[in-house]
Amino acid sequence: LCCCEYVDRRGRRNHLAACCCDCEELDDGCDRWLTCKSLPPGALERIADTIADRLRVPWFSGAVKINVSLVPPLVLLPVFLHVAALHFLLGLIILTSLPVVVLWYYYLTHRRKERTLFFLSLGLFSLGYMYYVFLREVVPRGYVEHSQVVTLTCGLILMLAALSRAKKDPGYLPIPAGNEKPSHQGLHSESIRGSSSGLHGISGAASSRAVNGEAKGYCRMSAEQPAGVKKDWCTKCQLVRPARAGHCRLCGRCVRRLDHHCVWINSCVGEQNHQAFILALSFFMLTSVYGITLTLHTVCRGRSLFVALFYCPGAYSDYSSALSFTCVWYCAIVTAGMGYILLIQLLNISYNVTEREARLALRDNTGRRLLGGLVIDTGQYNRGLLCNWGHFLSLGASPPQRSAEDIV
């Protein structure tokens, strides 16, 4: 393939110059729109799939497909913020509507069980653009010292490093070879024979108790406990999963100690990356609050942080101050949302409960609402504040070696 060629979704060789050719669905849709006729069912989805497949950029080994969800944050965020800086009322309308639009898009993708890079792109581009505005509009005023700029930059780098770690493997359970669906009888017979695969897949998983911090590992595949097989058997991944593991319907994988699927990192939060996720949230909160403080002390001189956020008479005296003040309010809205997520996470860790377990407890009416409903205590793994945090800090540690006699 040359740099402008690609293989389309139908497996045919195509060229970027032909991106507007042979689109029968789009032609038919335009004809129906001009004649005021309704579109057939599924026409918009097919048109969107065709456009997404043809949206590519030239590359060395062939045109590379662009994810459509990456485009809106890169284009619309700077436009909205610059328009909001033109007048106070425009800023109020745009900054109020942005969270509503983001929540609506989250509901839409969550209902369709779709993975999207929109939220990750929005978060990363927001960080970069806020940092750019800070260096371009705030630092040249001369009220910010070089040490403060270095501190803010270090906080941003640490947050990105923690985010990169949180994007790695959350603790996926290995998919069985060939993805074959073994029968319960076959698993039971293997455990009785004591074969190597049976010990590793079923009894050997008892060593995960030290990792998960419970007295319960994989379900015992015995004739006395047939119900346990159904409880811990994942029909999607075709495997027996340890306690507190769950299946993510967006990733299509089972994850150890699954907490939730975070759209902001486009990945699950599980046993292996939960600590990095909390660390990334903490660094973000500290860096964002510090950047907001430096900007408000520059734009609204002589006023305290809280007062300057709500009352800054000279904010719209010039466009530079208005843009900085608008970005401060945008950062404040995002920081408030992330602060709520961090608070819920810290409370869940203190009670040793995951988001998935809390949701299931609410559904089955088996948990207690505490602290005004902020946390759901299932009581199953709660061993006290210190023990709960000690268990969280030891997540991902290699389990101690256990003998075959202990496992059996």
Side-chain angles (χ1 to χ4, degrees):
L1 298 177
C2 74
C3 62
C4 296
E5 290 182 322
Y6 65 95
V7 178
D8 60 16
R9 58 193 180 101
R10 297 179 181 178
R12 296 181 299 188
R13 190 165 179 164
N14 215 326
H15 198 277
L16 288 179
C19 62
C20 298
C21 303
D22 300 329
C23 188
E24 294 82 1
E25 293 288 346
L26 183 59
D27 295 338
D28 181 65
C30 292
D31 293 338
R32 287 177 175 269
W33 178 72
L34 292 175
T35 56
C36 298
K37 295 180 180 179
S38 61
L39 292 176
L44 289 178
E45 287 77 3
R46 291 191 292 270
I47 293 174
D49 292 340
T50 303
I51 293 176
D53 184 56
R54 298 183 180 185
L55 189 61
R56 298 171 180 264
V57 294
W59 200 247
F60 298 105
S61 58
V64 179
K65 185 178 178 180
I66 300 176
N67 196 310
V68 181
S69 60
L70 295 174
V71 179
L74 303 180
V75 176
L76 297 180
L77 181 62
V79 174
F80 284 159
L81 291 178
H82 279 275
V83 172
L86 294 176
H87 195 272
F88 171 75
L89 292 180
L90 287 175
L92 182 63
I93 294 173
I94 291 177
L95 293 177
T96 304
S97 60
L98 275 179
V100 177
V101 174
V102 172
L103 289 176
W104 170 80
Y105 186 73
Y106 168 76
Y107 171 76
L108 183 65
T109 55
H110 187 73
R111 185 181 62 178
R112 295 182 178 179
K113 302 179 182 179
E114 297 177 354
R115 295 190 67 178
T116 175
L117 293 175
F118 173 82
F119 299 97
L120 179 61
S121 173
L122 177 62
L124 293 177
F125 185 68
S126 297
L127 287 173
Y129 191 70
M130 294 303 105
Y131 186 69
Y132 167 77
V133 171
F134 178 79
L135 295 180
R136 182 186 177 107
E137 306 293 343
V138 179
V139 174
R141 293 172 179 260
Y143 298 109
V144 180
E145 300 178 358
H146 293 290
S147 59
Q148 294 174 326
V149 177
V150 172
T151 303
L152 185 68
T153 306
C154 291
L156 184 63
I157 294 175
L158 291 175
M159 192 278 297
L160 292 176
L163 181 63
S164 175
R165 175 61 186 86
K167 281 283 296 174
K168 294 183 179 179
D169 180 16
Y172 291 123
L173 290 174
I175 299 178
N179 200 19
E180 298 177 355
K181 183 178 180 180
S183 62
H184 296 319
Q185 292 81 1
L187 288 172
H188 173 56
S189 61
E190 287 181 1
S191 62
I192 293 178
R193 289 195 303 266
S195 62
S196 59
S197 60
L199 280 175
H200 177 72
I202 303 169
S203 302
S207 60
S208 65
R209 293 176 294 181
V211 179
N212 293 326
E214 304 110 17
K216 178 182 176 183
Y218 277 75
C219 62
R220 299 278 184 179
M221 307 294 291
S222 62
E224 290 80 12
Q225 295 177 345
V229 176
K230 297 180 181 179
K231 180 179 179 181
D232 291 337
W233 174 260
C234 179
T235 58
K236 301 292 185 180
C237 298
Q238 301 296 313
L239 52 81
V240 183
R241 57 193 181 201
R244 309 190 78 176
H247 183 85
C248 177
R249 62 180 185 174
L250 297 179
C251 297
R253 297 283 300 274
C254 283
V255 182
R256 292 182 179 273
R257 197 183 178 274
L258 174 63
D259 189 85
H260 69 288
H261 182 93
C262 181
V263 296
W264 294 105
I265 64 174
N266 194 32
S267 177
C268 290
V269 177
E271 182 181 274
Q272 297 294 329
N273 67 340
H274 201 170
Q275 296 173 354
F277 178 73
I278 296 297
L279 198 60
L281 281 176
S282 302
F283 279 129
F284 171 80
M285 291 294 299
L286 294 175
T287 306
S288 180
V289 172
Y290 189 63
I292 291 173
T293 303
L294 294 178
T295 304
L296 287 179
H297 284 171
T298 301
V299 176
C300 305
R301 299 291 298 172
R303 299 182 183 275
S304 62
L305 176 64
F306 186 78
V307 173
L309 188 61
F310 292 95
Y311 182 71
C312 185
Y316 285 86
S317 59
D318 59 277
Y319 188 76
S320 177
S321 300
L323 180 60
S324 301
F325 189 73
T326 302
C327 292
V328 162
W329 259 106
Y330 176 74
C331 290
I333 294 174
V334 176
T335 303
M338 294 301 170
Y340 176 77
I341 295 176
L342 179 60
L343 175 63
I344 297 299
Q345 287 289 315
L346 296 179
L347 291 176
N348 286 343
I349 294 171
S350 300
Y351 285 91
N352 200 1
V353 62
T354 63
E355 281 291 319
R356 174 177 174 271
E357 292 167 350
R359 185 174 63 253
L360 295 177
L362 285 177
R363 185 194 66 184
D364 301 333
N365 198 21
T366 58
R368 295 186 304 142
R369 290 179 177 269
L370 301 176
L371 303 177
L374 290 177
V375 63
I376 307 299
D377 182 19
T378 61
Q380 189 174 5
Y381 305 107
N382 189 1
R383 299 296 181 267
L385 180 64
L386 296 180
C387 291
N388 293 338
W389 274 96
H391 162 61
F392 173 76
L393 295 176
S394 64
L395 288 179
S398 57
Q401 298 293 330
R402 300 174 65 87
S403 62
E405 292 80 2
D406 294 337
I407 295 175
V408 174

